[in-house]
Amino acid sequence: MDKLRIVGGRRLNGEISISGAKNAALPILCAALLTSEPVTLRNVPQLNDISTTVRLLADLGVKVTQEAGGVVHLQADQITNLEASYELVKTMRASILVLGPLLTRFGQAKVSLPGGCSIGQRPVDQHIKGLTALGADITVEHGFVVANAVRLKGAPIVTDMVTVGGTEQFLMAAALAEGQTVLENAAREPEVVDLAEMLISMGARISGHGTDRIVIDGVERLHGTDYTVVPDRIEAGSFLCAVGATGGDIMLRNAAPDTMGATLDKLIDAGLTIESGADWIRASMQTRPKAVGFRTREYPGFPTDMQAQLLALNTVATGMAVVVENIFENRYMHVPELMRMGADIELDGHTAVINGVQQLMGAQVMATDLRASASLVIAGLAATGETIIDRIYHLDRGYEKMEDKLQAVGADIQRLRS
């Protein structure tokens, strides 16, 4: 397995171009199943999760071609297979998002229960509940979700919790359903909004996206589109945490600061000087950061996908920070690894208490999930000496060429090929 080698202690200075958002691109790729016409997507990041989704769509019969620069062409005019196999979905929970499009367009689907990072329970029961409300007959058999429907019919859907994946599933399924669907308790994340805008560009009738109540009036058919994926707010936030931990001055291009309110607020509290425009963010850090506490919440609250990175920043800050993880019950697996580097952290259930230390020390550590990987990179950049991060295949699921981007702004980081 590949590893990353980091020699810390260097300030970061220069420009980084932010890639398209993985968490928007994955459902948007699945939405290409909703039409027989050509779909062109731009600003699609080159990531392992994207490659897995492309292979899954191709296995279903979608014609897929990719160009340099993040351009993907798809056409689902000859779907030959309505089953998503375990081998193709076992590493990625977003694979469940082919269920709604296949069901609403073709009347049936068989999708293996998905996998993904081991950060907590992410059951598909809400997906099943919502699709059943739309008239689907669904059973779970031998590890597969098996769904059938003559044509889905619009209905009110109220989920038991705010679910991003569920909201995305229902947006796609309801787009071709008969009648009106109203999603209550809907997720408000920018990636959900991006999917809705992509569907609207295909002829869907959707309103209220970005609020907790979304209305979808089903249409008979959707047409093709040429759509650009929103920039990745989590990647941008991760690089901002890196400059906060190391010091320096970086400019992020192709960013979307209007999607990053809670993250930017906390980083400003930590001492970063931040300026932004429509598609750029400039951040500088000349002093040691200040500890900042936070609680993860659904959007527009502080994102759980930024918890590990800001926690890593807190390990080298002045003062004490209290962090509460409200979304996933097992999302502190990076903490023991950070403690190997000299971090002072105490865990009590969903709460982490971080006492900042003057200096982290390089060590051999192991990535346990996607965002934990980024936190270890940040810690390694701030530490003295050499850090070796193992199992970085997790990092490659969600960050496009992270080491190349960091090298370009002065980091001493390299990939060690296995």
Side-chain angles (χ1 to χ4, degrees):
M1 280 183 263
D2 288 1
K3 302 177 183 181
L4 282 181
R5 175 184 179 271
I6 303 171
V7 179
R10 294 193 177 191
R11 295 167 68 85
L12 303 181
N13 292 281
E15 291 193 4
I16 293 174
S17 180
I18 299 302
S19 301
K22 174 188 85 105
N23 290 339
L26 294 176
I28 282 173
L29 283 165
C30 295
L33 287 165
L34 291 167
T35 180
S36 63
E37 296 184 14
V39 171
T40 295
L41 302 178
R42 304 182 189 276
N43 202 35
V44 178
Q46 298 176 42
L47 304 168
N48 285 353
D49 276 8
I50 297 296
S51 299
T52 299
T53 302
V54 166
R55 289 198 302 274
L56 171 59
L57 293 174
D59 188 63
L60 296 174
V62 180
K63 301 169 190 169
V64 186
T65 57
Q66 296 176 270
E67 297 178 11
V71 179
V72 181
H73 303 283
L74 308 102
Q75 188 164 8
D77 59 338
Q78 295 181 12
I79 297 301
T80 56
N81 176 26
L82 298 175
E83 178 177 324
S85 71
Y86 173 72
E87 285 304 311
L88 282 169
V89 308
K90 64 182 179 181
T91 63
M92 192 181 63
R93 70 185 186 279
S95 309
I96 194 69
L97 293 178
V98 301
L99 178 62
L102 290 175
L103 179 63
T104 196
R105 184 173 165 211
F106 299 102
Q108 57 182 300
K110 183 178 180 181
V111 180
S112 175
L113 292 169
C117 289
S118 302
I119 58 175
Q121 294 296 314
R122 286 176 283 196
V124 300
D125 62 318
Q126 297 302 301
H127 295 246
I128 294 172
K129 175 183 178 181
L131 293 174
T132 300
L134 296 177
D137 178 16
I138 300 179
T139 58
V140 178
E141 305 172 3
H142 308 292
F144 282 85
V145 179
V146 181
N148 292 277
V150 176
R151 186 183 179 190
L152 296 180
K153 296 186 183 299
I157 298 176
V158 184
T159 54
D160 298 332
M161 65 194 76
V162 178
T163 162
V164 173
T167 301
E168 292 166 344
Q169 188 85 269
F170 309 144
L171 277 170
M172 291 186 284
L176 291 177
E178 180 183 350
Q180 185 177 88
T181 298
V182 179
L183 306 183
E184 303 282 1
N185 203 26
R188 300 165 61 184
E189 272 71 5
E191 296 79 15
V192 171
V193 174
D194 207 36
L195 171 64
E197 289 295 331
M198 183 263 194
L199 294 172
I200 290 169
S201 75
M202 296 171 69
R205 297 174 61 194
I206 300 170
S207 61
H209 45 299
T211 76
D212 60 4
R213 185 178 190 271
I214 304 175
V215 178
I216 307 107
D217 290 295
V219 297
E220 287 289 335
R221 61 181 293 277
L222 295 174
H223 53 72
T225 189
D226 188 321
Y227 193 79
T228 300
V229 176
V230 69
D232 195 323
R233 62 192 171 107
I234 305 302
E235 184 194 24
S238 300
F239 286 125
L240 293 176
C241 285
V243 77
T246 64
D249 189 327
I250 63 171
M251 173 72 80
L252 303 182
R253 301 289 186 186
N254 189 39
D258 61 330
T259 66
M260 297 176 62
T263 297
L264 295 180
D265 288 347
K266 287 298 178 182
L267 289 169
I268 291 170
D269 289 345
L272 275 80
T273 299
I274 292 179
E275 303 172 75
S276 63
D279 60 357
W280 59 268
I281 303 170
R282 181 179 178 182
S284 61
M285 191 70 168
Q286 308 305 327
T287 61
R288 188 177 168 193
K290 295 175 287 189
V292 288
F294 60 93
R295 295 171 174 261
T296 62
R297 299 284 189 194
E298 294 87 359
Y299 192 87
F302 190 87
T304 183
D305 277 355
M306 280 300 304
Q307 178 254 103
Q309 301 91 307
L310 189 53
L311 191 152
L313 174 61
N314 274 323
T315 64
V316 294
T318 58
M320 181 189 76
V322 177
V323 173
V324 181
E325 173 57 58
N326 289 309
I327 307 299
F328 293 122
E329 71 276 9
N330 196 26
R331 203 161 201 177
Y332 283 128
M333 290 189 290
H334 47 288
V335 167
E337 303 303 305
L338 291 170
M339 292 173 69
R340 286 177 52 80
M341 302 176 69
D344 182 353
I345 307 170
E346 294 182 15
L347 284 181
D348 183 6
H350 292 271
T351 302
V353 179
I354 306 101
N355 290 287
V357 298
Q358 187 72 37
Q359 189 69 65
L360 295 176
M361 299 167 288
Q364 288 195 325
V365 292
M366 181 177 67
T368 54
D369 61 74
L370 171 54
R371 304 308 172 185
S373 307
S375 77
L376 297 178
V377 171
I378 292 165
L381 293 170
T384 59
E386 178 183 87
T387 296
I388 302 293
I389 306 175
D390 202 356
R391 294 177 66 182
I392 62 164
Y393 59 86
H394 289 293
L395 191 77
D396 295 335
R397 290 186 51 228
Y399 291 91
E400 182 176 15
K401 301 177 181 176
M402 186 182 228
E403 70 272 22
D404 293 347
K405 293 183 179 184
L406 286 169
Q407 284 172 6
V409 293
D412 186 347
I413 180 173
Q414 60 180 304
R415 181 177 291 252
L416 305 178
R417 301 283 181 183
S418 56

